Amino acid sequence: MEDRPSSPGQYGIALLYADLGRYDEAAVCAEAALSISRRDGLEFHEATALNTIGMVRLGQGRRAEAARHHADALEISGRLGHRATEAEALLGLAAVALADDDLAEALDLGHRARELAGRLRQRIVECRAVLLLAEASRQAGQTDDAERFTSEATTIKSGTGYRTPVLAKHR
């Protein structure tokens, strides 16, 4: 039996590199995950790999590419009915909108991601969406909303084991 790399293994490594700010290495792994997923006909993993590439491209400042990858992931996950991956894609698109200073779009997409993740009990995605809403609100000058979202993120985060330096930034 041939020992081949797996798509989940590759995008998992990509996420680790991205967390370290090593976006070039993350891109190589995320692209490998996409290639493996397509080779093996695993559309679910393809959508996840596309979300990972989108996140990496955003970290590299390549916002148009990031948006395209997240939009492709949204289309695939919607077609497959995989709502958790859909929530991640919405969150990715919200992050791109925030980076583009399109605060209205960031807030709309962030609310959609939060609502979907909340219904699915995907607490980490929900927490990340609420943190994005806090940042978009802060940038829009809506300090009361920003503080409320930060407080909500703290509540959601408790018990998940999720750690993020972004949360500390809003305290």
Side-chain angles (χ1 to χ4, degrees):
M1 176 181 223
E2 185 181 341
D3 186 23
R4 299 190 309 187
S6 71
S7 180
Q10 289 298 306
Y11 57 69
I13 294 168
L15 291 173
L16 291 173
Y17 277 131
D19 284 347
L20 296 171
R22 295 172 57 182
Y23 293 109
D24 292 338
E25 291 101 329
V28 169
C29 294
E31 292 286 350
L34 181 61
S35 178
I36 293 166
S37 299
R38 288 179 173 162
R39 176 198 71 202
D40 295 345
L42 301 171
E43 285 188 291
F44 162 71
H45 290 299
E46 180 180 348
T48 302
L50 287 164
N51 272 333
T52 304
I53 294 168
M55 180 208 54
V56 169
R57 293 297 182 234
L58 183 59
Q60 292 175 317
R62 296 161 64 177
R63 295 190 302 265
E65 287 179 61
R68 187 180 76 248
H69 289 298
H70 286 303
D72 289 348
L74 183 63
E75 185 277 321
I76 293 169
S77 58
R79 183 169 32 81
L80 295 176
H82 197 273
R83 301 297 171 235
T85 305
E86 190 174 338
E88 287 274 4
L90 288 168
L91 181 57
L93 288 167
V96 172
L98 184 62
D100 283 340
D101 292 323
D102 187 346
L103 301 179
E105 183 74 359
L107 288 165
D108 177 60
L109 290 164
H111 280 293
R112 289 173 55 197
R114 181 217 181 149
E115 189 273 329
L116 182 55
R119 274 192 291 128
L120 298 170
R121 299 190 185 287
Q122 296 288 319
R123 297 300 177 223
I124 292 173
V125 176
E126 183 182 16
C127 182
R128 290 173 45 220
V130 174
L131 287 170
L132 182 137
L133 291 169
E135 182 60 22
S137 296
R138 186 192 64 72
Q139 288 184 25
Q142 302 167 351
T143 55
D144 289 345
D145 286 344
E147 289 177 18
R148 179 175 51 83
F149 286 130
T150 300
S151 177
E152 288 177 25
T154 302
T155 300
I156 293 166
K157 179 190 162 291
S158 62
T160 66
Y162 182 54
R163 295 174 181 236
T164 174
V166 178
L167 188 59
K169 178 172 107 176
H170 293 287
R171 285 194 169 156

